[in-house]
Amino acid sequence: MESRFHQELDQLKLTILKMAALTETALEKGIHALFERDVEIADEVIRGDREINLLEIDVDKYCLRLLALDQPMARDLRFIIGCMKISVDLERIADQAVNVAERAIVLSQSPPLPRNPLMLELAETALDMVRCAISAFVQENVTQARDVCQLDDNADELNVTVLKNLLNYMVKEVPAVERSVQTIIVARCLERVADQATNIAESVIFIVQGMNIKHHCDQ
Amino acid sequence: MESRFHQELDQLKLTILKMAALTETALEKGIHALFERDVEIADEVIRGDREINLLEIDVDKYCLRLLALDQPMARDLRFIIGCMKISVDLERIADQAVNVAERAIVLSQSPPLPRNPLMLELAETALDMVRCAISAFVQENVTQARDVCQLDDNADELNVTVLKNLLNYMVKEVPAVERSVQTIIVARCLERVADQATNIAESVIFIVQGMNIKHHCDQ
């Protein structure tokens, strides 16, 4: 029979997985709302954020209880610390999904900007990084976690290019200034999502290997 | 004589205080560089970020060691967990200071925008919140920590107003489009600093009172 300690660790992992699933869905929906100009889906993302916030509080509570009552060592300790960090990053990704959804609502009220393939690529990169980071956590897969870290530079470059393109566009299309600025803000939100997915991947490497690769992920 | 455990707790606190001092200075300098168009100071902020990153890694190392070797309880446990969270927020504030400094360099290459008192107010609010959050940590002062949380709405509103004003301005002053967008990005960075100062204040309340007020700071 499993000990209470291991049951509680399992419960912690399940809570993170639930949070991860809701966060991934929120980001998918936020991006869908943006590109499809779907206000209803955007509203769903905004309304759904509360549940993710509450799960973050649950994760903190479980972790503190495990640390206080069971004085875990080595890998178990790293797992608990890693979960605390991952839950913060998931909650922030969900916040960015809300930001994207809010901008999607604003943008849906004016004519669409010309289709921008780089924005789509940035959105797909960010979403892909979140999915891979979650999968790396579930499978305790360090190789996959390192792949996520490698993708972060792509997201940064895409964000810079989107900014440059839109600055050029706005000067020629003054009536599109507000829409362009909202899109620049969305691009920055997506780039932040990529950073947070990288943080999650770093936490996975810390849990599995006990290594802190923060601030030199490519080494 | 103090136990090794308490010596290590003191070392942790000192490391956080060093990180906090460097972060506060980085933000001050980033804001100075922005308003005074001072590229040299902006460069200092960018170069100084590495030291803050390294301190974040040190904090993680000390916390993990304390948790693994000393199995702390109650207040000590909360202090260690709180320090881990605070160091993440300090590092992110320092990252925002770098962002502001980078934008300051870009902005210094074109003519200045008209003086914007709301941008100054936003910068001062963000800096004030960081200072108060650090002071609340040092003095374990819950009242001061709650004051920081209360200020967060001001920062949000200032950011929204700056965005609206600059959107109006850009439409009339097309040659100022790029400078205005860079300033909008700076405003968002400062608003993020305010969020992170709020996170630190929440961690102080958690350390002192054992209460998690995340996501309902005004209750």
Side-chain angles (χ1 to χ4, degrees):
Chain A
M1 215 183 86
E2 259 198 324
S3 67
R4 187 191 50 76
F5 176 67
H6 284 99
Q7 282 174 4
E8 287 190 6
L9 270 188
D10 285 345
Q11 187 188 27
L12 171 60
K13 187 164 188 173
L14 280 176
T15 310
I16 290 276
L17 293 182
K18 185 171 176 193
M19 221 184 145
L22 289 174
T23 301
E24 187 183 318
T25 305
L27 184 62
E28 277 167 8
K29 284 184 177 173
I31 290 170
H32 169 92
L34 177 73
F35 288 104
E36 305 304 326
R37 304 164 64 77
D38 188 332
V39 173
E40 245 173 78
I41 295 283
D43 278 332
E44 272 181 36
V45 175
I46 296 164
R47 281 198 309 271
D49 194 44
R50 191 181 136 79
E51 188 177 355
I52 298 170
N53 290 346
L54 293 176
L55 286 169
E56 188 198 0
I57 294 172
D58 283 348
V59 168
D60 263 10
K61 206 171 57 189
Y62 296 151
C63 288
L64 203 68
R65 197 182 138 86
L66 280 161
L67 289 172
L69 298 185
D70 300 292
Q71 297 158 348
M73 304 285 286
R75 167 93 183 216
D76 288 337
L77 176 58
R78 294 202 305 274
F79 180 78
I80 296 164
I81 298 297
C83 284
M84 286 187 84
K85 286 178 187 267
I86 288 171
S87 82
V88 172
D89 289 310
L90 286 171
E91 191 272 330
R92 284 179 186 164
I93 291 170
D95 278 350
Q96 299 298 348
V98 168
N99 273 333
V100 172
E102 285 171 348
R103 303 291 150 186
I105 293 172
V106 173
L107 285 165
S108 73
Q109 287 155 7
S110 31
L113 290 173
R115 203 87 180 165
N116 184 341
L118 290 181
M119 269 303 283
L120 196 61
E121 197 181 333
L122 175 55
E124 278 170 0
T125 303
L127 189 53
D128 198 35
M129 287 173 72
V130 171
R131 285 182 181 139
C132 285
I134 292 170
S135 160
F137 172 74
V138 175
Q139 300 179 36
E140 307 186 342
N141 185 332
V142 169
T143 312
Q144 202 171 19
R146 286 193 184 270
D147 289 347
V148 173
C149 300
Q150 301 290 342
L151 281 172
D152 196 27
D153 287 345
N154 292 15
D156 289 345
E157 279 166 32
L158 283 164
N159 176 39
V160 170
T161 314
V162 165
L163 172 64
K164 280 186 194 157
N165 292 356
L166 282 168
L167 284 173
N168 288 335
Y169 176 73
M170 283 154 82
V171 174
K172 285 177 250 150
E173 291 287 326
V174 176
V177 155
E178 177 163 358
R179 284 170 277 162
S180 303
V181 169
Q182 297 288 359
T183 308
I184 287 170
I185 293 174
V186 171
R188 287 188 69 83
C189 291
L190 293 169
E191 190 266 324
R192 289 294 302 140
V193 168
D195 287 345
Q196 283 139 353
T198 304
N199 292 344
I200 294 175
E202 289 172 355
S203 292
V204 171
I205 294 168
F206 167 73
I207 291 172
V208 179
Q209 299 193 317
M211 279 167 60
N212 189 341
I213 62 157
K214 223 184 275 178
H215 304 304
H216 38 81
C217 200
D218 48 347
Q219 284 175 7
Chain B
M1 216 182 85
E2 258 199 325
S3 68
R4 185 191 52 74
F5 175 67
H6 283 100
Q7 281 172 5
E8 286 190 8
L9 269 189
D10 285 346
Q11 186 187 26
L12 171 60
K13 188 163 188 174
L14 280 175
T15 311
I16 290 275
L17 292 183
K18 185 171 174 192
M19 220 184 145
L22 290 173
T23 300
E24 187 183 318
T25 305
L27 184 62
E28 278 167 7
K29 285 184 176 174
I31 290 169
H32 170 92
L34 177 74
F35 287 104
E36 304 305 324
R37 303 162 65 77
D38 188 331
V39 173
E40 245 174 78
I41 294 284
D43 277 333
E44 272 182 36
V45 175
I46 295 165
R47 281 198 309 272
D49 194 43
R50 191 180 136 78
E51 187 177 358
I52 297 170
N53 291 345
L54 293 176
L55 286 170
E56 187 198 358
I57 294 172
D58 283 347
V59 167
D60 264 8
K61 208 171 57 191
Y62 295 150
C63 289
L64 203 69
R65 197 183 138 87
L66 280 161
L67 289 172
L69 299 185
D70 299 291
Q71 298 158 348
M73 304 286 286
R75 167 96 182 214
D76 288 337
L77 176 59
R78 294 202 305 273
F79 180 78
I80 296 164
I81 298 296
C83 284
M84 287 187 85
K85 287 178 187 266
I86 289 172
S87 82
V88 172
D89 289 309
L90 287 172
E91 191 273 328
R92 285 182 186 160
I93 292 170
D95 278 351
Q96 298 297 348
V98 169
N99 274 334
V100 172
E102 285 171 348
R103 303 291 150 188
I105 293 172
V106 174
L107 284 165
S108 73
Q109 287 154 9
S110 32
L113 290 173
R115 204 83 181 170
N116 185 341
L118 290 181
M119 269 302 283
L120 195 62
E121 196 181 332
L122 175 55
E124 277 170 0
T125 303
L127 189 54
D128 196 36
M129 287 173 72
V130 171
R131 285 182 182 139
C132 285
I134 293 169
S135 160
F137 172 75
V138 175
Q139 301 179 35
E140 307 185 342
N141 185 331
V142 169
T143 311
Q144 201 171 19
R146 286 193 184 270
D147 289 346
V148 173
C149 300
Q150 301 291 342
L151 281 172
D152 197 27
D153 286 345
N154 291 16
D156 289 345
E157 278 167 32
L158 284 164
N159 176 39
V160 169
T161 313
V162 165
L163 172 64
K164 279 185 195 156
N165 291 357
L166 282 169
L167 284 173
N168 288 336
Y169 176 73
M170 284 154 84
V171 174
K172 285 177 250 150
E173 290 287 327
V174 176
V177 156
E178 178 165 358
R179 284 169 277 162
S180 303
V181 169
Q182 298 288 0
T183 308
I184 287 170
I185 293 174
V186 171
R188 286 187 70 81
C189 292
L190 293 169
E191 190 266 324
R192 288 295 301 141
V193 168
D195 287 344
Q196 283 138 354
T198 305
N199 292 343
I200 293 175
E202 288 172 356
S203 292
V204 172
I205 294 168
F206 167 73
I207 292 172
V208 180
Q209 298 193 319
M211 279 168 60
N212 188 341
I213 61 156
K214 225 184 271 179
H215 305 304
H216 36 83
C217 200
D218 48 347
Q219 284 174 9

